[in-house]
């Protein structure tokens, strides 16, 4: 099969389609690492990229071996970029791991953009539409949710009271297989019977008929911020919550405030107006210290929220062009295949979306470590590149002040499955953003306004990052995983893409799309990405729910900046 290498200032992004018989893959001609596509035994001979390698010790699938003899202190390259430095001599065909390789990344600096991007052909999608919810500010939602949010952790209890009192009444309660399992176990203990006879049966969840069928749900969010931390963190919380209020997937918002906290409602309202000057959604605010009793506040909050839900239920899906999509790109529980299957397929969707006039968000700045110069070179102008450098260096300095560094980003699971250094992880992770020019670089909690690919500074933590992208306006998210993860989001449906078919099967409760056939040589990145975009359109139209939606995964975690990678 033909492999076309598109070089972006030294960064190779090949449409990967190995032949089924291939046991290894060399991504870039300049690389001195080779990826094992299958388990390789000691003494085995492997052919790859016109070379023959004799494997010196067992190399498990997803891991790397040296493409040439390396000496102590040699630079190691993968994806065409610097990803590490050897700590001892490594023989050609020898396994590369944490015992002989440490993180190293290239220096980067400002540059004048020389973008000459030719987007992919999009003729087959030009006239396609999705059925979405048109909002008054020109944005289009892929879902129709109502939000209940606290301004401060002191109101979490009242949010839970509203949740417990309303979910059943609204017909939104679901009785899961685990609840039935626990009930059966409890019954055996009550009757003094043997609990071993009770098994967890795979049965569909019991669900009621919703009172408001045109609503996708009411989401009750809680968090641990709003007061006590620095004013900067509480102000960022207000910006994040404003982003959730403005997200086109949200029809209306109920806000519970104590009154005396750092995160004031007035700051929230200012942040909303900055993101959406024509904001016209219902915004119901209840400040507890202004009411004679909690009982009276809660009565009004529930009563008025029901009235708001009835109003939101009148909204119907209408046709919208694909240019109204705003896709957040995420990876988590990554493995050694993520960078050559799932992430490039997602990158293909990113390029198609940009070519169609849509918006794409690339976040997780710790996972851009090592490809900074390539990112700078892709920025549409010098100002955007300089802004990215400023945000990136500020973040890295704060991490160092906390006694850490970007090099500590890979988790034990990442390392175990082949992502030995942060630069190796980052070079593969960055491929989620495709190849298009970068039109904006935003700090947290930013709001995306420009068509094209925008950078958003977030932690590498999956939930903090997805939380931030929904707050930046993403109406759908594409999430690659190699090891499997259940992460979802309350308002922005998360489409989970596996890098390999084994994980797709083991995590079938959460995986929506499998790019394992790319590794097996049965699909190309282009064909897989095209199929993924078609599925994205189905999710955007509400024709298909994501697995994380079905499982009720509403993960919400505001970033306490400086405390996590």
């Amino acid at each position: 099969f033909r492999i076309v290498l598109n070089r972006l200032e030294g960064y190779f992004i090949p449409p990967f389609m190995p032949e089924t018989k291939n046991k290894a893959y060399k991504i870039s001609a300049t690389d001195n690492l080779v990826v094992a596509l299958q388990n390789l035994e000691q003494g085995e001979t492997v052919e790859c990229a016109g070379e023959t390698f004799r494997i010196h010790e067992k190399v498990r699938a997803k891991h790397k071996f040296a493409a040439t003899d390396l000496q102590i202190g040699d630079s190691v390259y993968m994806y065409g970029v610097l990803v590490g430095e050897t700590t001892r001599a490594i023989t050609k065909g020898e396994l590369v791991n944490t015992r002989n390789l440490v993180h190293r990344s290239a220096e980067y600096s400002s540059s004048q953009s020389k973008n000459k991007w030719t987007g992919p052909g999009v003729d087959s999608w030009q006239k396609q539409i999705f059925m979405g919810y048109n909002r008054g500010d020109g944005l289009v939602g892929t879902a129709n949710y109502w939000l209940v949010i606290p301004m401060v952790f002191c109101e979490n209890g009242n949010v839970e009271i509203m949740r417990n009192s309303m979910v059943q009444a609204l017909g939104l309660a679901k009785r899961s297989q685990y609840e039935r399992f626990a009930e059966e176990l409890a019954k055996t203990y009550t009757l003094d019977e043997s609990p071993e006879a009770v098994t967890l049966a795979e049965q569909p969840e019991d669900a009621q008929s919703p009172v408001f069928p045109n609503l996708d749900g009411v989401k009750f969010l809680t968090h641990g911020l709003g007061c006590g931390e620095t004013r900067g963190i509480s102000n960022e919380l207000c910006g994040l919550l404003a982003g959730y209020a403005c997200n086109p997937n949200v029809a209306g918002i109920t806000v519970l405030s104590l009154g005396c906290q750092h995160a004031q409602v007035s700051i929230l309202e200012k942040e909303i107006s900055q993101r959406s000057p024509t904001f016209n959604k219902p915004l119901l605010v209840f400040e507890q210290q202004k009411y004679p009793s909690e009982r009276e506040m809660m009565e009004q909050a529930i009563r008025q929220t029901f009235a708001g839900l009835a109003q939101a239920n009148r909204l119907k899906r209408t046709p919208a062009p694909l240019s109204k999509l705003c896709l957040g790109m995420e990876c988590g529980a990554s493995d050694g295949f993520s960078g050559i299957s799932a992430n490039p397929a997602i990158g293909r969707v990113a390029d198609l979306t940009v070519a169609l006039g849509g918006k794409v968000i690339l976040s997780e700045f710790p996972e851009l470590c090592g490809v900074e110069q390539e990112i700078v070179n892709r920025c549409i102008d010098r100002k955007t590149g300089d802004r990215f450098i400023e945000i990136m260096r500020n973040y890295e300095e704060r991490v160092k002040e906390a006694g850490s560094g970007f090099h500590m980003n890979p988790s034990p699971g990442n390392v175990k499955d082949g992502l030995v250094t942060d630069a190796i992880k980052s070079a593969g992770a960055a491929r989620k953003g495709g190849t298009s020019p970068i039109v904006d670089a935003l700090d947290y909690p930013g709001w995306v306004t420009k068509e094209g690919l925008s950078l958003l500074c977030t932690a590498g933590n999956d939930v903090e990052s997805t939380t931030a992208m929904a707050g930046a306006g993403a109406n759908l998210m594409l999430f690659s995983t190699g090891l499997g993860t259940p992460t979802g989001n309350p308002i922005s449906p998360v489409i989970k893409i596996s890098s390999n078919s084994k994980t797709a099967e083991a995590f079938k409760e959460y995986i929506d799309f499998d790019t394992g056939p790319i590794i097996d040589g049965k699909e190309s990145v282009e064909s897989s990405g095209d199929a993924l975009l078609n599925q994205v359109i189905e999710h955007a139209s509400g024709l298909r729910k994501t697995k994380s939606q079905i499982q009720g995964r509403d993960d919400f975690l505001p970033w306490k900046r400086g405390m996590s990678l």
Side-chain angles (χ1 to χ4, degrees):
F1 293 94
R2 185 171 60 93
I3 297 176
V4 180
L5 297 177
N6 294 321
R7 187 168 187 174
L8 294 175
E9 300 294 337
Y11 186 42
F12 286 87
I13 306 184
F16 175 56
M17 188 176 176
E19 295 180 21
T20 306
K21 65 180 181 181
N22 285 0
K23 294 184 177 182
Y25 178 55
K26 190 176 181 182
I27 299 170
S28 165
T30 60
D31 289 354
N32 49 19
L33 291 185
V34 179
V35 184
L37 300 179
Q38 304 175 19
N39 291 336
L40 305 178
E41 299 299 327
Q42 182 178 1
E44 185 174 354
T45 298
V46 176
E47 292 186 5
C48 176
E51 296 184 71
T52 300
F53 303 92
R54 187 175 184 275
I55 305 303
H56 283 258
E57 60 182 300
K58 182 174 182 177
V59 180
R60 291 189 295 113
K62 307 179 186 179
H63 286 259
K64 290 82 181 166
F65 60 85
T68 186
D69 291 338
L70 298 168
Q71 304 304 314
I72 296 176
D74 278 355
S75 296
V76 174
Y77 295 85
M78 190 173 172
Y79 297 97
V81 298
L82 177 65
V83 296
E85 181 181 302
T86 58
T87 57
R88 67 172 180 81
I90 306 175
T91 303
K92 179 180 178 179
E94 184 179 348
L95 174 68
V96 174
N97 55 28
T98 55
R99 296 190 299 274
N100 54 29
L101 185 70
V102 294
H103 169 84
R104 191 72 68 238
S105 59
E107 296 295 322
Y108 58 97
S109 61
S110 179
S111 69
Q112 182 61 50
S113 174
K114 300 185 290 291
N115 279 295
K116 293 181 180 179
W117 185 67
T118 301
V122 291
D123 290 346
S124 59
W125 288 283
Q126 283 287 7
K127 295 182 179 180
Q128 284 203 39
I129 52 92
F130 71 96
M131 299 299 291
Y133 293 94
N134 282 278
R135 307 299 181 188
D137 56 4
L139 301 180
V140 178
T142 64
N144 196 34
Y145 289 111
W146 187 279
L147 274 182
V148 179
I149 57 176
M151 293 303 301
V152 63
F153 54 81
C154 306
E155 289 298 317
N156 283 347
N158 284 333
V159 171
E160 291 298 334
I161 288 173
M162 289 189 68
R163 185 203 308 267
N164 295 336
S165 61
M166 293 177 64
V167 168
Q168 186 80 26
L170 288 168
L172 300 175
K174 294 182 179 180
R175 187 168 169 269
S176 72
Q177 57 183 326
Y178 301 108
E179 288 178 281
R180 291 192 292 270
F181 177 56
E183 288 171 2
E184 289 298 320
L185 281 176
K187 187 185 298 182
T188 64
Y189 281 99
T190 301
L191 300 174
D192 198 25
E193 296 176 350
S194 173
E196 283 73 21
V198 180
T199 59
L200 176 60
E202 285 194 28
Q203 298 177 7
E205 294 180 335
D206 297 335
Q208 301 169 272
S209 297
V211 175
F212 302 116
N214 290 332
L215 272 175
D216 288 295
V218 182
K219 300 299 183 178
F220 301 85
L221 309 186
T222 57
H223 57 79
L225 301 178
C227 202
E229 67 274 339
T230 66
R231 292 296 179 92
I233 290 175
S234 62
N235 288 344
E236 287 174 348
L237 172 68
C238 291
L240 177 72
L241 296 178
Y244 271 65
C246 294
N247 188 293
N249 292 355
V250 172
I253 314 95
T254 298
V255 179
L256 300 187
S257 171
L258 182 60
C260 58
Q261 72 276 350
H262 286 340
Q264 288 287 301
V265 172
S266 59
I267 303 175
L268 172 69
E269 292 172 335
K270 179 181 177 181
E271 293 285 346
I272 288 175
S273 66
Q274 290 176 350
R275 287 161 174 77
S276 178
T278 58
F279 185 84
N280 63 351
K281 300 176 185 177
L283 181 66
L284 312 178
V285 178
F286 303 91
E287 195 161 281
Q288 188 166 359
Q289 290 170 349
K290 291 182 178 180
Y291 283 82
S293 69
E294 181 175 279
R295 180 181 180 277
E296 185 170 336
M297 183 192 79
M298 294 301 291
E299 178 184 348
Q300 287 302 315
I302 294 171
R303 183 187 301 277
Q304 292 184 40
T305 298
F306 262 82
L309 296 176
Q311 178 181 343
N313 189 57
R314 299 190 188 102
L315 299 170
K316 301 289 179 66
R317 289 184 181 269
T318 56
L322 300 187
S323 60
K324 293 297 183 179
L325 290 175
C326 180
L327 305 181
M329 305 313 200
E330 180 72 19
C331 60
S334 300
D335 70 351
F337 285 163
S338 293
I340 56 178
S341 59
N343 288 342
I346 292 175
R348 167 73 174 176
V349 174
D351 285 346
L352 290 169
T353 302
V354 170
L356 287 163
K359 301 172 184 173
V360 174
I361 307 171
L362 180 63
S363 60
E364 300 181 287
F365 272 33
E367 296 177 15
L368 298 179
C369 177
V371 295
E372 293 97 338
Q373 192 62 58
E374 287 67 39
I375 294 293
V376 171
N377 294 343
R378 286 174 57 187
C379 288
I380 198 165
D381 53 35
R382 186 162 189 157
K383 179 180 178 182
T384 304
D386 288 349
R387 179 58 176 152
F388 165 68
I389 291 173
E390 178 188 17
I391 297 171
M392 191 74 168
R393 287 181 172 160
N394 286 344
Y395 184 5
E396 189 169 18
E397 284 303 313
R398 295 180 74 166
V399 171
K400 289 178 179 178
E401 289 170 4
S404 186
F406 285 167
H407 68 282
M408 300 179 72
N409 175 260
S411 69
N414 295 149
V415 174
K416 182 180 178 181
D417 262 49
L419 302 178
V420 178
T421 71
D422 185 51
I424 291 177
K425 180 179 180 181
S426 296
R431 304 179 88 192
K432 304 188 305 291
T435 63
S436 71
I438 293 164
V439 299
D440 210 353
L442 304 168
D443 204 357
Y444 174 82
W447 178 255
V448 173
T449 60
K450 298 179 180 179
E451 295 178 0
L453 175 63
S454 292
L455 304 175
L456 174 67
C457 181
T458 73
N461 177 305
D462 300 346
V463 180
E464 288 174 332
S465 180
T466 50
T467 296
M469 287 194 291
N475 54 17
L476 277 173
M477 286 187 268
L478 277 64
F479 190 132
S480 72
T481 182
L483 304 174
T485 171
T487 301
N489 184 265
I491 64 169
S492 183
V494 177
I495 304 169
K496 206 69 61 63
I497 298 108
S498 67
S499 72
N500 62 90
S501 298
K502 182 178 178 181
T503 295
E505 177 59 27
F507 269 75
K508 60 185 177 183
E509 294 92 347
Y510 295 103
I511 299 299
D512 299 289
F513 192 92
D514 178 22
T515 60
I518 296 175
I519 299 297
D520 299 334
K522 299 173 183 176
E523 289 283 347
S524 68
V525 165
E526 289 88 349
S527 62
S528 188
D530 292 355
L532 179 56
L533 177 57
N534 287 331
Q535 186 168 320
V536 165
I537 296 169
E538 293 182 18
H539 287 294
S541 299
L543 299 175
R544 183 192 295 211
K545 286 193 177 295
T546 68
K547 297 288 185 66
S548 60
Q549 284 178 295
I550 294 170
Q551 297 294 339
R553 295 289 176 168
D554 292 336
D555 301 296
F556 177 78
L557 184 62
W559 185 22
K560 199 170 184 178
R561 196 198 291 258
M563 300 302 291
S564 69
L565 286 173

